[in-house]
Amino acid sequence: MTHQSCPLCDALGGVLVFQAKKFRVIRAAEAGFPAFYRVVWTEHVAEFSDLSDADQLLCMRVVVSVEKTLRQLLQPTKINIAALGNMVPHLHWHIIARFDWDSHFPAPVWAPALRKVTPEELLAVQQRLLPLADELAHRLSLLL
Amino acid sequence: MTHQSCPLCDALGGVLVFQAKKFRVIRAAEAGFPAFYRVVWTEHVAEFSDLSDADQLLCMRVVVSVEKTLRQLLQPTKINIAALGNMVPHLHWHIIARFDWDSHFPAPVWAPALRKVTPEELLAVQQRLLPLADELAHRLSLLL
């Protein structure tokens, strides 16, 4: 099922990291958060509990694989995971590596910013995103 | 493992709905969001991926049970689920019934408020929370 007016049915929504039949993983362009990934479910469903038990399990295996890869390769201060979808009610999980120097920490990324981030801090993470994408795609391929 | 300075090791963190050995479900007192629940993992771990595969599965079964119960008994506009923990790095899932009339919708609850909520709208949800708690406790007991 797809919805014509849904931005996650119409477009990838970010830089594609991995595409499977039932889901894709993208890196989102969210200013100030260099390691902001999304697991987008392919079928247009609004809520996580709309998935079958088997699909819930697969979906969380993907989320956890992204989380573990971010932890191991970037050593963030914290991982934030969330499925909100108020604006785009098409199931997608945010998996965000948070750093104690980021613009909002320890507030959620949706709260007002607390500080400016220096380009050097962003660059240090950005330089590790290409090998991270390779490693993530490899690990996700093993889940299928 | 518990941490002496952790508020979720020291206290329930809200109105207890259900207590199991490995987790509890509480209703949080978050002004303007009458149906804001948390699944708090008993063991003091920071990240969802710190759990074993079996515990991840149990934890998400609990989250989904809360989500389904909120959907069926309150018919919210959307469910929001999130594990953030930047301030309190002890694994807890937020499960929030969102309504198109709530103070922040469609923004996340952590963003600035968009409007005031009338007491009548809050009251209409609050009046359904006691039977909801009973139903939720019943359903969670069946998971164990």
Side-chain angles (χ1 to χ4, degrees):
Chain A
M1 185 173 67
T2 61
H3 280 219
Q4 280 192 316
S5 61
C6 171
L8 289 178
C9 288
D10 287 347
L12 290 175
V15 176
L16 188 65
V17 176
F18 188 77
Q19 176 76 64
K21 186 179 173 189
K22 290 196 168 186
F23 67 88
R24 65 181 177 275
V25 176
I26 60 167
R27 182 167 55 75
E30 298 284 351
F33 303 105
F36 193 134
Y37 292 81
R38 292 194 180 106
V39 174
V40 181
W41 200 250
T42 302
E43 189 184 4
H44 184 90
V45 298
E47 304 286 7
F48 183 63
S49 61
D50 288 329
L51 299 185
S52 68
D53 288 358
D55 282 346
Q56 287 174 18
L57 185 62
L58 171 63
C59 189
M60 291 314 291
R61 278 189 177 146
V62 176
V63 168
V64 167
S65 186
V66 176
E67 173 174 317
K68 283 185 174 175
T69 308
L70 293 180
R71 291 179 70 185
Q72 290 166 8
L73 274 68
L74 301 180
Q75 293 88 44
T77 309
K78 189 72 189 68
I79 294 289
N80 291 174
I81 51 182
L84 308 178
N86 303 325
M87 300 281 282
V88 180
H90 175 134
L91 179 62
H92 58 283
W93 281 90
H94 307 279
I95 303 113
I96 314 161
R98 301 296 309 278
F99 299 91
D100 56 10
W101 48 257
D102 78 32
S103 53
H104 290 58
F105 197 89
V109 301
W110 303 282
L114 299 173
R115 68 185 72 83
K116 287 194 175 182
V117 176
T118 66
E120 290 75 16
E121 288 163 330
L122 283 179
L123 191 63
V125 175
Q126 283 164 344
Q127 285 174 334
R128 299 155 83 180
L129 296 183
L130 271 181
L132 187 150
D134 290 345
E135 177 64 21
L136 189 50
H138 171 67
R139 293 185 187 191
L140 293 171
S141 71
L142 300 178
L143 289 183
L144 301 180
Chain B
M1 184 173 68
T2 60
H3 279 218
Q4 281 192 315
S5 60
C6 171
L8 289 177
C9 288
D10 287 346
L12 290 175
V15 177
L16 188 65
V17 176
F18 188 79
Q19 176 77 64
K21 186 179 173 190
K22 290 196 169 185
F23 66 89
R24 65 181 178 273
V25 176
I26 60 166
R27 182 167 56 76
E30 297 284 351
F33 303 105
F36 192 133
Y37 293 80
R38 292 194 180 105
V39 174
V40 181
W41 200 251
T42 302
E43 189 184 2
H44 184 90
V45 297
E47 304 286 6
F48 183 63
S49 62
D50 288 330
L51 300 185
S52 68
D53 288 358
D55 282 346
Q56 287 174 18
L57 185 62
L58 172 63
C59 188
M60 291 313 292
R61 277 189 177 145
V62 176
V63 168
V64 167
S65 187
V66 176
E67 173 175 317
K68 283 185 174 174
T69 308
L70 294 180
R71 292 180 69 185
Q72 290 165 9
L73 274 68
L74 302 179
Q75 293 86 44
T77 310
K78 189 72 189 67
I79 295 288
N80 291 174
I81 51 182
L84 308 179
N86 303 325
M87 300 281 282
V88 180
H90 176 134
L91 179 62
H92 58 284
W93 281 89
H94 308 278
I95 303 113
I96 314 161
R98 300 297 308 279
F99 299 92
D100 56 11
W101 49 256
D102 79 32
S103 54
H104 290 58
F105 197 88
V109 302
W110 303 283
L114 299 172
R115 68 186 71 83
K116 287 193 175 182
V117 176
T118 67
E120 290 75 16
E121 288 161 330
L122 282 179
L123 192 63
V125 176
Q126 283 165 343
Q127 285 174 334
R128 298 155 84 179
L129 296 183
L130 270 180
L132 187 150
D134 289 345
E135 176 64 22
L136 189 50
H138 171 68
R139 293 185 187 191
L140 293 171
S141 71
L142 299 178
L143 289 183
L144 300 179

